Amino acid sequence: MMKLTTMVRGVREDAVARELIRNWEFDEGTLKFWRASSNFVYVFERDGERYFLRFNYEEESKVEQMTAELEFMRYLVKNGYPCVTPVSSIDGNWIETVQAPEGHYHGVVFSTAAGIALDGNLTVTQCKDWGKSLARLHTLSSQYEPGSVRRRSAEDILRMIDQVLQRHPEEQDAVEELHRVSLWLQFMPSSRQTYGLIHYDFQLDNIFYEAKERSYHVIDFDDAMYHWFAMDIVTALADTESEDEKRAFLRGYRSIRSLDHELEAEFSRFRRFDRLYGFARVLRSLEDSDLTDVPPWYEGLRMKLLRYCENDRQGFRKPW
């Protein structure tokens, strides 16, 4: 989640998007705002085909991390994994940068995902295929050798959380949770079979089902990090309440790739990592957010994020 102050600036009159899109070929009059959360996303057309422009402020997204993300995605595409394809600019660059009064914005363009979005109530077959898709991703990840730039790791995330909490010393429950999670991860065994570059947000809003191929087309690798593969399973299933769907997902996953029962026993602690990470991101996004002269949507979103933080605080107090 980006800072709310960044969100207000970045969508103002669509100025940044209109400046960035000039670096790619596009059909005039087709650029439209899509959404803003961790990034700004706009949709546009070129020769009648739909594409997506994604960008963010330099404080939110570093060029090095974006480069590592795109390299991994191109590796997946090269090896036949169904994910969206980065599109180079007119000058042949994967990433383009524009200057705004407050600083630089970095943008990339992606193709449109094939398949259809699934809103829930998946069939057993769809759940198994979901698990298989993630297992195939992990198999390719376990063989991946990054270039000169690596995506961040779980340890990097813990350091980021610590930096946020140092600015909020009143969040003592979160500080204690960070200590517990950090200590736990220090003693987690890792190998190429269990640890690698994960998607981290393999949920239904980031995957599109192709029934004929019985596969999912994947988008949004912006949260990718080095972590235990089990973490990807936990975050994928975070919004799934149905135990039948979870069991079908795991059956599909295990049909492609083994999953250590000892790691499965740690799922609840991986969920605590996810909650702590989410809390720190939202807490950071709320910093200096008590603004005036804001868009109509602003205060509702701010109050929603404040409620998220309070729910997480209660979760930190649960027995480890």
Side-chain angles (χ1 to χ4, degrees):
M1 186 75 194
M2 73 178 76
K3 284 190 173 183
L4 292 184
T5 52
T6 299
M7 190 177 294
V8 171
R9 287 197 309 260
V11 298
R12 188 176 290 130
E13 299 178 350
D14 300 327
V16 176
R18 288 188 284 107
E19 184 70 19
L20 273 168
I21 197 61
R22 294 176 184 172
N23 292 288
W24 282 268
E25 295 179 351
F26 69 102
D27 298 341
E28 290 287 347
T30 62
L31 181 68
K32 295 179 182 178
F33 174 77
W34 186 258
R35 68 182 183 188
S37 181
S38 296
N39 297 279
F40 302 100
V41 181
Y42 282 69
V43 64
F44 70 94
E45 292 183 6
R46 185 181 73 189
D47 298 329
E49 295 280 335
R50 178 186 260 195
Y51 294 86
F52 289 88
L53 168 69
R54 193 194 80 192
F55 65 91
N56 216 329
Y57 185 48
E58 59 185 345
E59 184 182 283
E60 305 283 346
S61 294
K62 305 300 181 186
V63 169
E64 294 80 10
Q65 286 296 295
M66 294 171 68
T67 299
E69 173 196 357
L70 300 183
E71 285 181 355
F72 183 56
M73 294 177 71
R74 295 201 303 273
Y75 161 80
L76 294 176
V77 171
K78 181 180 178 180
N79 284 273
Y81 188 79
C83 71
V84 292
T85 305
V87 178
S88 60
S89 68
I90 295 170
D91 290 335
N93 301 320
W94 300 109
I95 302 169
E96 292 287 356
T97 300
V98 298
Q99 175 77 52
E102 63 272 16
H104 295 91
Y105 287 83
H106 307 301
V108 296
V109 165
F110 297 102
S111 62
T112 298
I116 61 169
L118 300 177
D119 297 327
N121 299 316
L122 275 63
T123 66
V124 170
T125 296
Q126 289 168 338
C127 288
K128 288 176 67 176
D129 292 339
W130 184 13
K132 288 179 179 179
S133 180
L134 185 58
R136 293 188 181 105
L137 175 62
H138 289 170
T139 298
L140 285 170
S141 177
S142 68
Q143 301 162 5
Y144 178 60
E145 294 293 343
S148 58
V149 182
R150 291 174 61 92
R151 288 292 291 181
R152 58 194 173 174
S153 66
E155 291 75 17
D156 295 324
I157 297 301
L158 293 175
R159 283 190 286 271
M160 181 279 288
I161 295 171
D162 181 56
Q163 291 169 1
V164 172
L165 294 180
Q166 285 183 28
R167 300 196 296 270
H168 298 272
E170 73 281 2
E171 300 289 355
Q172 193 56 40
D173 288 333
V175 171
E176 293 175 4
E177 182 78 344
L178 174 61
H179 176 74
R180 289 188 291 265
V181 170
S182 299
L183 188 63
W184 164 61
L185 283 183
Q186 283 182 24
F187 293 97
M188 281 287 293
S190 63
S191 66
R192 291 195 76 114
Q193 175 65 21
T194 61
Y195 184 96
L197 188 52
I198 69 171
H199 184 281
Y200 199 84
D201 195 10
F202 207 81
Q203 295 182 338
L204 295 180
D205 55 347
N206 286 328
I207 58 177
F208 297 81
Y209 192 58
E210 296 183 275
K212 185 177 180 180
E213 303 294 330
R214 287 191 54 186
S215 67
Y216 286 88
H217 208 84
V218 185
I219 68 170
D220 198 0
F221 285 76
D222 182 51
D223 284 322
M225 69 178 74
Y226 283 91
H227 212 305
W228 281 261
F229 292 127
M231 183 80 250
D232 236 358
I233 297 172
V234 168
T235 54
L237 296 174
D239 292 335
T240 303
E241 297 182 0
S242 167
E243 292 301 320
D244 288 339
E245 289 184 355
K246 292 177 181 178
R247 283 192 289 268
F249 177 99
L250 290 174
R251 285 199 304 273
Y253 187 94
R254 285 196 170 98
S255 71
I256 300 293
R257 184 175 177 82
S258 64
L259 174 62
D260 193 304
H261 287 286
E262 292 183 5
L263 278 175
E264 189 174 354
E266 299 288 335
F267 276 7
S268 63
R269 292 180 176 178
F270 283 115
R271 282 192 287 270
R272 294 189 80 125
F273 176 100
D274 184 46
R275 177 166 52 207
L276 181 63
Y277 180 32
F279 175 79
R281 295 170 85 180
V282 172
L283 193 65
R284 176 184 174 276
S285 76
L286 288 165
E287 291 175 345
D288 305 316
S289 65
D290 192 8
L291 305 176
T292 58
D293 189 24
V294 293
W297 51 263
Y298 184 85
E299 195 56 36
L301 175 58
R302 183 172 179 270
M303 295 305 298
K304 181 180 179 180
L305 295 179
L306 287 169
R307 288 193 295 271
Y308 282 162
C309 282
E310 185 53 39
N311 289 337
D312 287 336
R313 292 184 186 105
Q314 295 176 19
F316 299 148
R317 301 175 191 133
K318 293 181 180 179
W320 181 255

